[in-house]
Amino acid sequence: MTCPHVSDLPPSVDPDNPEGCGDCLAAGERSWAHLRICLGCGHVACCDSSPRRHATAHFAASGHPVMRSFEPGEDWRWCFLDSRVV
C-alpha cells in the first residue's frame, strides 16, 4: 500500500552521508539507534528511537514527507504526513 506523497518523489536519491546521521556526526555524536534516508533529498538522519530524533526534525524543517529505512536489509518507507508505512 502506498500514499499520494510517494508519486512526488524523485526516481532516486543518493545519501548525503552514508557513514551515519550527519546531524549527530556534526555534533560529535554516534549514539543513534537506527538510520533513515529522506527520499526527497537523500538526507541521512537518526530515527525516533535515537536520542536526537533527527529524521523527524528533518521532516519538520524541510517538509519532505517520506523516509526509508537506511538499515541493511530493510526497505520499508514511512510517510510523516499520513503516519503510516507506505
Side-chain angles (χ1 to χ4, degrees):
M1 183 167 252
T2 189
C3 73
H5 307 106
V6 171
S7 64
D8 296 332
L9 297 173
S12 66
V13 294
D14 292 323
D16 66 353
N17 193 339
E19 301 301 317
C21 177
D23 302 303
C24 284
L25 292 170
E29 299 179 15
R30 295 188 67 87
S31 59
W32 56 81
H34 300 283
L35 297 172
R36 309 292 179 244
I37 183 171
C38 174
L39 294 180
C41 69
H43 183 66
V44 176
C46 56
C47 70
D48 281 357
S49 295
S50 302
R52 304 286 181 217
R53 302 177 178 185
H54 286 124
T56 297
H58 176 73
F59 162 67
S62 69
H64 299 160
V66 184
M67 293 247 174
R68 180 177 52 81
S69 174
F70 198 58
E71 295 297 316
E74 295 182 1
D75 62 358
W76 58 267
R77 301 174 298 191
W78 175 259
C79 180
F80 283 99
L81 294 175
D82 293 326
S83 297
R84 66 182 172 122
V85 174
V86 294

